[in-house]
Amino acid sequence: NAGVTQTPKFQVLKTGQSMTLQCAQDMNHEYMSWYRQDPGMGLRLIHYSVGAGITDQGEVPNGYNVSRSTTEDFPLRLLSAAPSQTSVYFCASTAGRRRGDTQYFGPGTRLTVL
Amino acid sequence: AQSVTQLGSHVSVSEGALVLLRCNYSSSVPPYLFWYVQYPNQGLQLLLKYTSAATLVKGINGFEAEFKKSETSFHLTKPSAHMSDAAEYFCAVSDSGGKLIFGQGTELSVKP
């Protein structure tokens, strides 16, 4: 199993540009989520999905869209990039929504918005 | 609402010395707690987790953590640091929907 994969690894955007960060998992996990990591702030939840066709907002959803058309894929869209979205983005998946379930993380996408 | 506080954004130890990374939590329900490690330019990897079974939890790479309800703590320890332990460590608590709430992270440096 490849686990959780993310593309691209690095990306530089100009303010106002749009892009999609890709995330895929091959573990047939029901639950997927997106986090952003900023220095001194840990990881903060952007959006999450409890299954295909079902998404919801996390702690910092503004400026981001998601959709979940398949179990495997959970892309994150930036519609109009802003410098405040410069961050490292992690996708994670877990088999279920029980509180003790382990979340498995992808390698991350490092995004810079100029 | 749940929250996590990690005391100390940077911890430096000598190789062979005790590693102690501090984590305190706040939770309105019995907590489920996690420690993750992030090596440079990599994703997060689970070290260990507490799910209301034994209060002393053993993880990978010789790490362990003790859940202390009276102190609302879940500190991470390792008896003898190795150079390869240099990384950033995150404590997290799981909320009712299975979402993780992370602490700010602690960067561990190991001096030769």
Side-chain angles (χ1 to χ4, degrees), chain A residues 24-39:
Chain A
Q25 53 90 9
D26 61 0
M27 298 174 282
N28 201 31
H29 282 173
E30 183 180 353
Y31 185 100
M32 297 183 73
S33 51
W34 277 101
Y35 295 85
R36 60 176 290 173
Q37 181 185 19
D38 301 293

Side-chain angles (χ1 to χ4, degrees), chain A residues 16-88:
Chain A
Q17 287 185 315
S18 64
M19 80 160 295
T20 300
L21 281 64
Q22 302 292 344
C23 173
Q25 53 90 9
D26 61 0
M27 298 174 282
N28 201 31
H29 282 173
E30 183 180 353
Y31 185 100
M32 297 183 73
S33 51
W34 277 101
Y35 295 85
R36 60 176 290 173
Q37 181 185 19
D38 301 293
M41 304 187 74
L43 279 76
R44 293 178 292 168
L45 183 65
I46 304 171
H47 284 286
Y48 65 97
S49 169
V50 300
I54 306 169
T55 65
D56 205 347
Q57 296 180 351
E59 180 185 356
V60 288
N62 292 342
Y64 307 95
N65 279 355
V66 292
S67 60
R68 183 100 177 268
S69 57
T70 67
T71 300
E72 295 77 19
D73 300 298
F74 190 44
L76 178 72
R77 298 183 186 84
L78 283 69
L79 298 179
S80 178
S84 61
Q85 294 179 304
T86 294
S87 187
V88 182

Side-chain angles (χ1 to χ4, degrees), chain B:
Chain B
Q2 284 82 7
S3 66
V4 171
T5 301
Q6 292 183 239
L7 299 177
S9 58
H10 291 91
V11 170
S12 182
V13 300
S14 297
E15 193 171 20
L18 171 72
V19 175
L20 171 61
L21 304 182
R22 300 178 186 273
C23 172
N24 287 89
Y25 69 90
S26 173
S27 179
S28 55
V29 296
Y32 284 63
L33 296 159
F34 301 77
W35 274 102
Y36 280 86
V37 60
Q38 183 183 29
Y39 298 105
N41 299 314
Q42 294 187 26
L44 278 71
Q45 178 183 0
L46 180 70
L47 271 178
L48 50 82
K49 64 181 179 181
Y50 169 76
T51 58
S52 75
T55 57
L56 182 62
V57 182
K58 294 188 183 298
I60 61 172
N61 301 337
F63 284 92
E64 63 181 34
E66 186 172 9
F67 173 72
K68 292 187 177 180
K69 182 178 179 180
S70 61
E71 300 178 6
T72 61
S73 69
F74 190 56
H75 301 333
L76 182 70
T77 61
K78 182 174 181 178
S80 177
H82 192 273
M83 297 296 291
S84 61
D85 295 326
E88 188 156 21
Y89 293 79
F90 293 94
C91 183
V93 63
S94 178
D95 78 356
S96 58
K99 299 185 288 292
L100 287 179
I101 299 164
F102 285 88
Q104 303 91 323
T106 298
E107 184 174 354
L108 175 66
S109 301
V110 182
K111 299 175 292 186

